Amino acid sequence: MADDGARGITRRRLGAGTLALGGALAFAALPADPASAAAPYPDGRPTLRYGPAHRAGLLSAPLRQLVTDAEAFLAPSPAHPWYAGAVLLAGRGGTVALHQPIGMAVRYRAYDEKTDSGVEFPPDQQIPMAEDTVFDLASVSKLFTSILAVQQIERGRLALEGAVATYLPEFGRAGKQDMTIRHLLTHTSGFRAWIPLYDAPTHEEKVRLVLDEAPTAPPGTVYRYSDLNLISLQLVLEEVTGRRLDVLLREEITGPLDLRSTRYNPPASWRSRIAATEDARRPWSGLDRGLVWGEVHDENAHSLGGVAGHAGVFSDAWDLAVLGRTLLNGGAYGRARILARESVELMFTDFNTAFPGDEHGLGFELHQHWYMGAMATPRTAGHTGFTGTSLVLDPTTDSFLVVLGNSVHPVRSWRSGSAPRVAAANRLARAVPVRPARGRTAWFSGMASSATATLTLPALDTSSGAARLRCPLWWDTEPGADALALEAGTEDGAGWRPVPFTTVRRGAEPEPHPSGTATGWSGRVWHELTAVLPAARALTLRWRYTTDRLYVGRGAYVGTLRVETPGGRLFDERRPADAARLRAEGWTRSAD
């Protein structure tokens, strides 16, 4: 069941049978800025423990607000609750600073389509969420299949640029002879989003439908998210290894990492700790099954016996956090290693540079503000699941977020979009502090959507023509949609005009901003800004930060402002009299 749905790192050139190694990225060693780094780990391989926010290098107030925000979606949002309940987990480094269940794991026994209401179980039969509630992960299952595929690439059984038909000769018909393993992992195969395999009466006929399926576009020419990619990859994995996908999962991932709550087809004894999903009936479901609880929700995965490459894995928040920590560690957790560091690099590398906005590594989606919120960077990796699940990993700040909700309980039509995921990601992003470049505080734009914040200097005499603005600058915004602008106004009343500026970060070449704006990703480090100011007897400067109504980044910070001429300083924020003349609307002083 398909989910709704600044360039990343340049794609590596890969040989047909080998991984291009070298230049591996140290995922756990890239903090937002030196002062806000999480505690270092001598071996670079932290394992997870509970601890307070400060031990994780996080701010506690945004984490508390994360829970408050999530609880709001238990109420109508706007017409119905987004989920009946959820389990939230957030952390940084080796510390899980938040693990909070909210709402109900099992609330409704049915859905009444005539009244568009849920029919509740009696109160004594309802089950509240718990920290160890197990969820049907839906499409988050694709990450496990992708990891299994990359393992086989490491071992030489698969080639990333190898044709799928090399491993499954029957796959090569219907225009698929040139489709590669990479096309499947990056959703560039040209397949349709899905087909109703559940209508085929036998397993063999379902497989035949996949093998006979023709792409709607030549492989590599279009990005289209498709369950068929991961179902095809399942067939490849089972062929080259001689093992079923559920056996591969147990032997290659869950066993080595000791993920005791992660598996296909959970046993009946687990049912009381599994979150219920949908009252599945036609026409909104492909099958008439009644309340789905303890077995996979996705119709195709169900028809494939519960074991499928695109859906079917059940897990809890802690196990997903361990998986995330393993990847942030470069493929290792404790004494176990499931991937080489170079392989993880490829999973977090954008292979879809030809499709801006659809950045994708091997299995992982990258830089997607629509559910990653302000955690999104060119290297932030994650995935969502149709049932209301998500995992987000930000290597830049070494932080991780798990949001597991039962948002199709009692029916899929009650929720839309990803507002709870975005809200949680925004709060975790805000919890990672940005220390001022110099001094104790800096001006912070805030992270509100549909907002305009202005920071205005007093009128200054720049008529000498040699005045320059200097200040530290930090920004991370939704690319293009949200921007930070430097503008100037004069006494002639001609309105605000852009002021071009240049920024430079340590160890890099200066970057010109001829439009007078900064937008998108800047590395989450401080830059030094210089702007040559227009000559005027009364020049007023302002920073203007604007956001649209949808998604936001981490915002913008402006450090100590100075306006200099060869003869001295016209303005210096460190002087109390000058600081008192600044006008801030929407900006606040922040020490983080």
Side-chain angles (χ1 to χ4, degrees):
M1 185 176 297
D3 284 320
D4 297 331
R7 299 288 180 91
I9 305 167
T10 303
R11 180 171 65 235
R12 301 271 180 185
R13 293 183 178 178
L14 304 175
T18 61
L19 282 170
L21 306 184
L25 302 177
F27 291 123
L30 291 174
D33 60 77
S36 66
Y41 294 83
D43 61 359
R45 290 162 56 174
T47 54
L48 294 180
R49 293 174 176 81
Y50 289 109
H54 68 82
R55 185 182 300 168
L58 296 171
L59 304 173
S60 58
L63 291 183
R64 291 193 297 269
Q65 190 61 47
L66 189 159
V67 177
T68 300
D69 289 350
E71 289 174 335
F73 292 99
L74 296 170
S77 48
H80 299 287
W82 199 87
Y83 39 38
V87 178
L88 317 164
L89 187 149
R92 190 178 183 208
T95 302
V96 173
L98 171 68
H99 191 179
Q100 181 68 50
I102 61 172
M104 306 302 293
V106 180
R107 180 175 176 179
Y108 305 100
R109 61 179 176 84
Y111 168 69
D112 185 341
E113 66 270 29
K114 294 181 179 179
T115 60
D116 188 25
S117 62
V119 181
E120 295 189 356
F121 280 106
D124 63 342
Q125 296 180 32
Q126 296 183 26
I127 302 175
M129 286 291 182
E131 289 182 350
D132 65 347
T133 296
V134 171
F135 288 78
D136 176 349
L137 296 183
S139 285
V140 176
S141 305
K142 292 179 170 70
L143 298 181
F144 292 91
T145 308
S146 300
I147 291 170
L148 292 170
V150 174
Q151 287 177 335
Q152 297 307 314
I153 293 172
E154 277 188 11
R155 298 168 191 176
R157 290 177 176 166
L158 293 179
L160 188 59
E161 298 296 346
V164 178
T166 302
Y167 314 103
L168 291 173
E170 291 182 276
F171 189 89
R173 55 179 174 262
K176 301 194 296 297
Q177 65 276 0
D178 296 324
M179 194 178 294
T180 67
I181 299 299
R182 174 173 59 82
H183 292 139
L184 300 181
L185 284 165
T186 59
H187 293 282
T188 54
S189 65
F191 273 140
R192 289 184 286 173
W194 72 290
I195 56 177
L197 300 179
Y198 50 82
D199 285 339
T202 68
H203 182 85
E204 290 73 21
E205 289 175 274
K206 299 177 203 301
V207 171
R208 179 64 53 192
L209 286 174
V210 177
L211 296 175
D212 289 344
E213 178 72 7
T216 60
T221 64
V222 65
Y223 172 87
R224 183 182 300 115
Y225 181 85
S226 173
D227 289 348
L228 298 177
N229 292 315
L230 278 295
I231 296 173
S232 299
L233 197 57
Q234 172 189 1
L235 299 177
V236 171
L237 286 169
E238 293 181 340
E239 177 66 25
V240 301
T241 67
R243 290 176 284 173
R244 277 171 45 108
L245 190 65
D246 53 344
V247 175
L248 283 170
L249 177 72
R250 182 176 67 250
E251 294 181 350
E252 303 289 355
I253 300 178
T254 64
L257 296 180
D258 196 27
L259 305 183
R260 300 183 184 184
S261 296
T262 305
R263 59 169 294 163
Y264 288 101
N265 288 327
S269 60
W270 284 24
R271 192 168 189 257
S272 62
R273 57 181 287 240
I274 295 177
T277 54
E278 188 175 34
D279 179 8
R281 288 180 280 127
R282 292 184 174 93
W284 57 86
S285 174
L287 297 172
D288 289 316
R289 298 167 62 194
L291 179 63
V292 179
W293 178 16
E295 59 183 23
V296 64
H297 171 259
D298 181 272
E299 295 95 333
N300 278 341
H302 173 71
S303 75
L304 290 168
V307 179
H310 70 295
V313 176
F314 285 72
S315 189
D316 67 6
W318 183 268
D319 275 11
L320 275 187
V322 170
L323 180 70
R325 184 68 263 163
T326 301
L327 296 169
L328 289 169
N329 287 349
Y333 187 85
R335 297 178 181 272
R337 177 171 288 282
I338 63 168
L339 287 172
R341 181 174 290 272
E342 294 82 2
S343 297
V344 179
E345 178 187 348
L346 291 174
M347 298 191 82
F348 285 21
T349 295
D350 181 21
F351 283 78
N352 285 2
T353 54
F355 309 107
D358 293 316
E359 291 85 349
H360 216 289
L362 301 183
F364 275 93
E365 297 169 333
L366 305 173
H367 207 194
Q368 299 298 311
H369 283 80
W370 68 270
Y371 70 90
M372 297 175 180
M375 290 181 70
T377 78
R379 293 183 55 213
T380 302
H383 216 287
T384 63
F386 187 84
T387 51
T389 58
S390 62
L391 171 67
V392 179
L393 309 175
D394 179 9
T396 307
T397 61
D398 201 27
S399 54
F400 48 92
L401 174 66
V402 179
V403 176
L404 300 179
N406 54 351
S407 66
V408 298
H409 184 55
V411 69
R412 68 190 69 187
S413 61
W414 274 19
R415 67 86 202 253
S416 63
S418 279
R421 297 168 176 141
V422 171
N426 285 350
R427 294 301 180 185
L428 181 54
R430 180 65 184 92
V432 178
V434 177
R435 304 300 187 198
R438 292 184 291 274
R440 296 182 177 180
T441 62
W443 289 102
F444 176 43
S445 66
M447 295 170 57
S449 58
S450 298
T452 298
T454 57
L455 180 63
T456 309
L457 281 69
L460 302 172
D461 184 354
T462 60
S463 57
S464 68
R468 283 172 169 74
L469 171 70
R470 301 186 190 277
C471 67
L473 189 65
W474 190 107
W475 73 94
D476 173 28
T477 80
E478 183 191 3
D482 303 336
L484 176 67
L486 179 62
E487 299 172 324
T490 57
E491 57 189 356
D492 62 9
W496 295 97
R497 289 170 254 183
V499 178
F501 56 86
T502 298
T503 59
V504 60
R505 59 185 291 182
R506 183 180 300 177
E509 294 296 316
E511 178 184 357
H513 299 259
S515 65
T517 61
T519 185
W521 165 254
S522 72
R524 286 190 178 166
V525 296
W526 284 95
H527 298 239
E528 291 295 327
L529 173 141
T530 303
V532 177
L533 303 181
R537 290 208 169 272
L539 183 80
T540 304
L541 289 174
R542 75 175 183 185
W543 284 109
R544 181 171 57 87
Y545 181 68
T546 56
T547 60
D548 67 0
R549 67 180 183 84
L550 292 176
Y551 315 114
V552 296
R554 182 60 175 77
Y557 288 80
V558 174
T560 303
L561 293 154
R562 307 187 310 278
V563 177
E564 303 171 340
T565 67
R569 291 187 175 174
L570 301 180
F571 181 89
D572 189 337
E573 191 183 348
R574 292 173 297 183
R575 300 189 297 228
D578 284 352
R581 299 162 67 198
L582 281 167
R583 299 198 312 273
E585 298 180 11
W587 293 76
T588 58
R589 298 296 295 185
S590 174
D592 271 6

